[in-house]
Amino acid sequence: MSISDRDPKTGGRPAAPTLLARAAAADLRADRRLATAIDDAFLGDDGRLDDRARAALAVTLESLVGGLETTIRAHAARLLTARALPQLAGLIADGVPALDRLRAAGLLRDPELMHELIGRVRQGLIADALPIEPPDRADQPSLLARLSRDPDQRIARGAVALLAAEAHRKAPIVTGTTLRTDLPAAIHRRLIWWVAAALRDVAAGDIDALDRALAEAAQRSIAAHDESDGLEAASTRLAAALDARAEELTALLTDALADQRLSLFIALLGHALGLGYGDVRDLVLDPDAERLWLVLRALELDRTAIAHIGLALCEADPRRDIEHFADTLDSIAAIAPEQARVAITPLLLPPDYRAAMLAVARGVRA
């Protein structure tokens, strides 16, 4: 059958208004696409997400927002049904996806949310790309396998908990189960309220009853959140249980990378420095890495250990320049630990103070 032979009484008629509306808005869409393409053309390479990171970030956002949306819709619909409002419950069960509304409102550009998600995505990509154990260690159990059998039960439980947290982070979200976002509590709470607000756009019905149901559903999800179950928290607890002495730290750091446990590598550095996980993750993920090399020298890691760590990160992260690292390795190793400790002193200031200093500097530059 040719295109001209299609029956307008079947699928053609309902689609016509939509087609006409889209045609009327075509100029506006084309203008927006051009503006986006121009912005993209003039973005600097420094800081730009590569294709892998962009795709992983999109999947992460869709999973998190979609999972929260499903949970809130389902609970709000149950509440409305129980309150003899089945029609409203039916409306809330469907509708425009929350992700589309949040994206259109610009809320997903929130710096704290994006900082956390981009950090999580890059950490996961680099961890998965870290070189596997060298052949001479192939017959040894992995680091976490060894630690899970440690006679110190705090260490053993911590290793098992980290394995479970890793499995959860990589597992797909299952509809109908309680969603664990692993987000910091403040960001999780903010995202929950955004999703709930994005779901209140219904054509008809008792808006007050809908608001009450959505608010209760959101509060239920907030109350169920426990960030201590997340990958970052599990890594931090294991690092604290290990409480590595100076002479043990080098082996643990290199073993963590050889085991593709970047989260544990970050947590071990954080424990040794007395810094929070997020601050150290920023250092480790920074492709320029000057602050990371200073931190490693401040902790008295030698040239061999820094070379091992640097090469592993260069292999796993395409943003890093392995030739530049090789050229600067001798200079890094020549920095005295005392000199490095003085240089990293600003990193050890209270996080809120450092954030305030950055905000002031950003304002002055503007």
Side-chain angles (χ1 to χ4, degrees):
M1 180 183 292
S2 68
I3 293 176
S4 59
D5 291 334
R6 290 184 180 176
D7 184 0
K9 294 181 181 179
T10 56
R13 185 174 298 168
T18 301
L19 180 61
L20 292 170
R22 283 186 58 79
D27 284 344
L28 180 58
R29 290 200 311 277
D31 186 65
R32 286 174 178 167
R33 288 193 187 109
L34 176 60
T36 300
I38 291 171
D39 288 343
D40 184 69
F42 289 98
L43 284 175
D45 290 336
D46 185 26
R48 172 184 276 180
L49 295 177
D50 60 27
D51 290 342
R52 291 189 315 154
R54 187 180 292 107
L57 179 61
V59 170
T60 300
L61 264 175
E62 289 171 8
S63 297
L64 286 177
V65 175
L68 292 174
E69 175 183 359
T70 298
T71 300
I72 293 173
R73 278 191 194 276
H75 190 64
R78 286 196 297 271
L79 291 173
L80 292 167
T81 300
R83 293 165 187 172
L85 294 167
Q87 183 178 3
L88 195 55
L91 290 173
I92 194 59
D94 299 307
V96 177
L99 183 63
D100 292 347
R101 302 205 71 209
L102 296 180
R103 188 183 283 119
L107 292 176
L108 297 180
R109 292 176 175 268
D110 178 73
E112 288 186 29
L113 173 65
M114 284 296 104
H115 178 262
E116 179 63 29
L117 294 186
I118 291 171
R120 176 187 295 194
V121 161
R122 282 187 166 148
Q123 175 185 307
L125 290 173
I126 293 172
D128 290 342
L130 283 168
I132 59 174
E133 291 188 2
D136 60 342
R137 299 178 53 184
D139 59 341
Q140 294 184 25
S142 69
L143 174 62
L144 287 190
R146 298 197 305 272
L147 293 177
S148 68
R149 298 195 295 269
D150 195 278
D152 184 331
Q153 286 303 298
R154 187 180 174 210
I155 293 175
R157 287 194 298 269
V160 172
L162 179 51
L163 285 167
E166 285 182 339
H168 170 79
R169 176 65 59 86
K170 294 179 179 180
I173 292 174
V174 179
T175 303
T177 61
T178 300
L179 175 64
R180 202 177 82 193
T181 64
D182 289 355
L183 291 172
I187 298 176
H188 175 87
R189 183 166 55 249
R190 191 181 314 156
L191 188 57
I192 284 284
W193 287 121
W194 286 345
V195 170
L199 297 180
R200 75 186 299 268
D201 183 32
V202 295
D206 186 343
I207 193 65
D208 291 335
L210 177 62
D211 281 337
R212 286 194 298 272
L214 287 171
E216 289 181 41
Q219 289 169 328
R220 177 175 177 266
S221 292
I222 291 170
H225 181 64
D226 183 1
E227 62 182 316
S228 67
D229 288 338
L231 176 61
E232 293 77 11
S235 299
T236 300
R237 286 196 300 272
L238 178 55
L242 288 165
D243 195 20
R245 297 187 298 272
E247 62 272 18
E248 299 171 327
L249 185 60
T250 297
L252 280 171
L253 288 171
T254 53
D255 280 356
L257 288 185
D259 206 21
Q260 296 185 310
R261 258 72 198 206
L262 186 60
S263 65
L264 182 56
F265 176 86
I266 293 169
L268 287 166
L269 283 179
H271 183 75
L273 294 165
L275 286 175
Y277 186 98
D279 291 327
V280 181
R281 182 176 65 188
D282 289 345
L283 300 180
V284 173
L285 297 184
D286 181 357
D288 295 328
E290 288 90 353
R291 295 176 300 172
L292 176 60
W293 310 141
L294 288 175
V295 161
L296 296 181
R297 286 302 292 140
L299 295 173
E300 302 188 18
L301 270 70
D302 61 20
R303 185 186 189 281
T304 301
I306 293 174
H308 181 94
I309 290 168
L311 289 173
L313 291 175
C314 284
E315 282 192 48
D317 187 352
R319 300 174 301 155
R320 298 175 192 261
D321 186 341
I322 192 168
E323 293 183 1
H324 176 71
F325 171 66
D327 290 341
T328 57
L329 180 56
D330 287 336
S331 299
I332 296 167
I335 298 172
E338 296 80 8
Q339 184 183 4
R341 281 191 280 271
V342 171
I344 68 169
T345 298
L347 298 175
L348 307 180
L349 293 170
D352 288 344
Y353 183 46
R354 287 189 286 114
M357 289 193 297
L358 179 61
V360 170
R362 189 186 298 120
V364 170
R365 285 198 301 269

